[in-house]
Amino acid sequence: MIRSMEVIETIKMIQEECLDIRTITMGISLRDCCHSESKISRAKIYDKITRLAADLVKVGNNIEKEFGIPIINKRVSVTPISIIAESSDEEDYVKFAETLDEAANTIGVNFIGGFSALVHKGYTIGDRKLIRSIPEALSSTKLVCSSVNVATTKAGINMDAIKEMGEVIKRTAHLSEKQDSLACAKLVVFANVPEDNPFMAGAFHGVGEPECVINVGVSGPGVVKCALEKVKGADFGTVSETIKKTAFKITRMGQLVAQEASKRLGVEFGIVDLSLAPTPAVGDSVAYILEEMGLEKCGAHGTTAALALLNDAVKKGGVMASSYVGGLSGAFIPVSEDAGMIEAVKSGALTLEKLEAMTCVCSVGLDMIAVPGDTSAHTIAAIIADEAAIGVINNKTTAVRIIPAIGKKIGDIVEFGGLLGSGPVMKVNNFSSEEFINRGGRIPAPINSLRN
Amino acid sequence: MRAIITVIGKDKVGIIAGISAVLADNNVNILDITQTTMQDVFTMIMLVDIKGVTIDFSLLSEKLEKKGDEMGLSVRIQHENIFNSMHRI
């Protein structure tokens, strides 16, 4: 029988250290929902999602009850809508977003991802229409998330798409001005996007994925922080070992939940995403882990090294705990969703430039960053270009989820609510990148992409 | 199917009696019990078999929680596998 101490340890992790399963995400292929008539295509989309994911929320809630582990989100990701809508006569893809929103509402999920386009090498007709419709789609729906992949190591960086995304983000911010430009929090621009990521806003169901699949994203920064408290002052070998052991335990939870969900729903198990995803709750912060390693504030010199160690140890610990690992897998560093990051920005310890450096070693990129509303589209595009370059050259995923908060200045606070949290508006380098961005075209794939 | 029940709180007379009454009423078989008291905090861990249970798992969970509230204790029931998967390879 399991020992008392082990039972208590698990319960303590859940009760006091905010251990949870962040999301069960059902990936659904919509490739059989194409039709020349938009109305028919949308009806097929609605029917398929509501049929396959009908029991997703119920099963998630049952697992949560029986195993006593909170499952915070139940989500659906679908094939990038640009691919599905493209066959139709529709000009206005906002209607497809509304269909996704309705379907998500019917089945009761927290978010639906896949209002997406993959344009790392160029646009198709559907990609163009979809990207054009993003601002209105995100501000007129509640649950729909959108992502655009603008670069890969293999294809290089599509600078035309990056320029357009700068403008799209600005328009999206303006359209949701009354909610502190909240709609921008549902839009991610990626380089090297993974096809099986269960986390929002970047989740979509990749074209190489099966018909229907269950992916699970774990969490647990609080558990790692508490484990590190017990090895105060120990050397980095010990720090790494401690994080690995903890990540192993956290991931085993994810694996268990993924298997149960897959069995009960009769849907194939895809991957477990080994991510440390923070929430605004105190004690659920990635920044606090870095500070626990001995930094006065997240953002101090040494932060990048600390994050590199954390990110690597999380993967090493997690990888043996799950039969299939995928998605983003690593530590997230969103600003507004992490109490420690917010404090670090407010106190002046953490700047946009330092965050950019940190994205070289974390799992994603510049995430949930509020900048002044008057930041130009060119500057936003240039921020995306920098991130894409980091991803492309280093063979990793990078992303930008940035919120130009209309009407707000540096130091103002924007409130998104819920898991999206709230965050201070950060300073942006004001020197112009306009001429650079206006060049357009593609930055060729780097030499390290030629591996054959 | 086996589950683990944990009871945590201040020690008092009748804890085991109270909890096992709920279990007996619902045809839950107790397989093993361990208990300790650390600094006045009473901790009891029960391994139970819920194969023959007559009601829904979530209802059983609610009943145990309610009993716990009455006695000023935190009572939870969880599927055994969550502990096995975390602590056993």
Side-chain angles (χ1 to χ4, degrees):
Chain A
M1 180 182 160
I2 210 91
R3 287 201 297 268
S4 315
M5 287 310 292
E6 294 167 332
V7 172
I8 299 295
E9 184 191 349
T10 303
I11 288 177
K12 212 170 149 231
M13 282 183 183
I14 295 167
Q15 284 243 282
E16 294 169 23
E17 300 167 6
C18 308
L19 173 63
D20 56 52
I21 301 297
R22 181 53 44 82
T23 179
I24 300 182
T25 303
M26 180 184 272
I28 300 174
S29 165
L30 298 181
R31 277 159 59 180
D32 56 350
C33 298
C34 300
H35 199 278
S36 55
E37 268 183 60
S38 156
K39 212 173 146 191
I40 298 176
S41 175
R42 285 184 281 121
K44 286 169 95 170
I45 290 173
Y46 179 88
D47 289 345
K48 186 160 187 188
I49 295 170
T50 50
R51 176 167 51 85
L52 290 178
D55 290 334
L56 177 63
V57 173
K58 190 180 86 192
V59 165
N61 290 341
N62 285 346
I63 293 174
E64 177 168 358
K65 276 233 169 72
E66 287 175 34
F67 291 88
I69 179 143
I71 299 170
I72 309 296
N73 287 296
K74 292 92 189 171
R75 299 164 170 169
V76 166
S77 65
V78 297
T79 313
I81 288 297
S82 68
I83 298 172
I84 308 309
E86 198 161 36
S87 309
S88 76
D89 50 4
E90 190 60 71
E91 286 299 318
D92 176 18
Y93 284 12
V94 175
K95 287 183 187 149
F96 281 89
E98 286 165 357
T99 302
L100 294 180
D101 207 41
E102 269 170 50
N105 245 321
T106 305
I107 51 176
V109 290
N110 308 90
F111 275 121
I112 185 160
F115 196 72
S116 306
L118 311 174
V119 295
H120 35 273
K121 209 161 184 182
Y123 289 77
T124 65
I125 296 163
D127 294 334
R128 203 169 287 288
K129 289 184 193 168
L130 183 123
I131 291 175
R132 206 185 303 141
S133 72
I134 287 175
E136 207 190 332
L138 293 186
S139 45
S140 65
T141 58
K142 274 212 166 83
L143 306 174
V144 175
C145 291
S146 174
S147 55
V148 177
N149 192 57
V150 295
T152 66
T153 299
K154 277 277 178 198
I157 306 174
N158 183 345
M159 291 299 289
D160 290 328
I162 286 182
K163 182 183 178 194
E164 184 171 5
M165 286 315 294
E167 290 154 10
V168 164
I169 289 171
K170 283 286 284 194
R171 269 208 305 282
T172 308
H174 275 289
L175 289 180
S176 58
E177 186 181 342
K178 285 193 184 119
Q179 298 99 40
D180 277 354
S181 306
L182 172 70
C184 291
K186 297 182 286 177
L187 173 59
V188 199
V189 186
F190 273 107
N192 288 328
V193 69
E195 298 202 328
D196 52 6
N197 158 33
F199 288 100
M200 294 295 173
F204 68 88
H205 187 73
V207 286
E209 293 284 306
E211 185 68 13
C212 188
V213 73
I214 288 291
N215 297 322
V216 163
V218 299
S219 178
V223 185
V224 175
K225 155 90 165 55
C226 290
L228 287 183
E229 282 171 9
K230 291 174 197 135
V231 294
K232 241 186 179 56
D235 73 349
F236 284 114
T238 313
V239 170
S240 171
E241 273 307 301
T242 307
I243 297 170
K244 275 160 65 181
K245 283 181 192 154
T246 313
F248 178 82
K249 290 177 181 171
I250 294 171
T251 311
R252 292 280 281 184
M253 296 292 89
Q255 173 76 13
L256 173 70
V257 167
Q259 275 170 339
E260 275 298 319
S262 142
K263 196 170 74 194
R264 293 182 191 195
L265 289 160
V267 170
E268 204 173 317
F269 158 57
I271 54 101
V272 173
D273 188 320
L274 319 172
S275 285
L276 286 183
T279 68
V282 176
D284 206 15
S285 152
V286 169
Y288 288 160
I289 299 176
L290 306 177
E291 291 170 8
E292 186 60 41
M293 287 191 210
L295 300 163
E296 186 185 355
K297 271 273 172 243
C298 176
H301 292 294
T303 300
T304 310
L307 182 60
L309 182 156
L310 172 66
N311 202 35
D312 183 59
V314 164
K315 289 181 210 166
K316 285 175 178 162
V319 80
M320 191 184 148
S322 172
S323 42
Y324 296 94
V325 173
L328 296 162
S329 286
F332 292 173
I333 51 166
V335 174
S336 77
E337 297 173 352
D338 185 312
M341 293 282 175
I342 296 169
E343 280 168 31
V345 172
K346 281 186 183 165
S347 66
L350 185 59
T351 60
L352 198 54
E353 287 74 15
K354 187 64 182 177
L355 274 165
E356 186 182 314
M358 290 162 73
T359 63
C360 300
V361 298
C362 80
S363 71
V364 199
L366 291 175
D367 197 13
M368 290 304 286
I369 288 166
V371 295
D374 59 5
T375 309
S376 76
H378 294 111
T379 297
I380 291 172
I383 291 172
I384 297 170
D386 282 342
E387 273 307 303
I390 290 171
V392 164
I393 298 293
N394 294 302
N395 261 315
K396 73 185 288 294
T397 303
T398 48
V400 174
R401 184 158 53 143
I402 194 167
I403 300 105
I406 304 301
K408 302 272 169 146
K409 303 182 301 296
I410 296 164
D412 287 352
I413 304 290
V414 287
E415 294 284 346
F416 304 118
L419 282 183
L420 297 171
S422 71
V425 175
M426 298 182 74
K427 185 178 179 302
V428 175
N429 186 324
N430 278 329
F431 289 93
S432 170
S433 318
E434 188 171 347
E435 274 185 46
F436 177 76
I437 292 301
N438 279 341
R439 281 179 185 270
R442 278 191 289 139
I443 295 180
I447 190 75
N448 58 7
S449 72
L450 304 173
R451 307 179 77 150
N452 293 339
Chain B
M1 180 172 144
R2 305 200 304 182
I4 285 183
I5 297 174
T6 42
V7 182
I8 301 170
K10 205 168 157 47
D11 197 9
K12 64 196 306 191
V13 173
I15 296 181
I16 296 189
I19 301 296
S20 19
V22 176
L23 298 179
D25 284 349
N26 296 291
N27 203 30
V28 176
N29 187 25
I30 300 172
L31 302 171
D32 197 355
I33 302 184
T34 56
Q35 68 167 74
T36 50
T37 307
M38 285 184 291
Q39 292 155 357
D40 237 22
V41 181
F42 173 84
T43 309
M44 176 171 78
I45 296 165
M46 279 178 162
L47 177 68
V48 298
D49 188 340
I50 51 172
K51 206 165 45 209
V53 69
T54 45
I55 52 169
D56 203 45
F57 187 93
S58 57
L59 194 59
L60 176 64
S61 167
E62 272 167 37
K63 283 190 174 186
L64 285 165
E65 234 172 80
K66 198 166 146 247
K67 190 77 199 168
D69 286 345
E70 282 169 30
M71 297 195 290
L73 301 160
S74 133
V75 182
R76 54 176 67 223
I77 178 163
Q78 290 162 279
H79 197 297
E80 181 194 30
N81 281 353
I82 186 167
F83 304 102
N84 286 337
S85 70
M86 184 180 272
H87 300 284
R88 296 285 179 274
I89 299 177

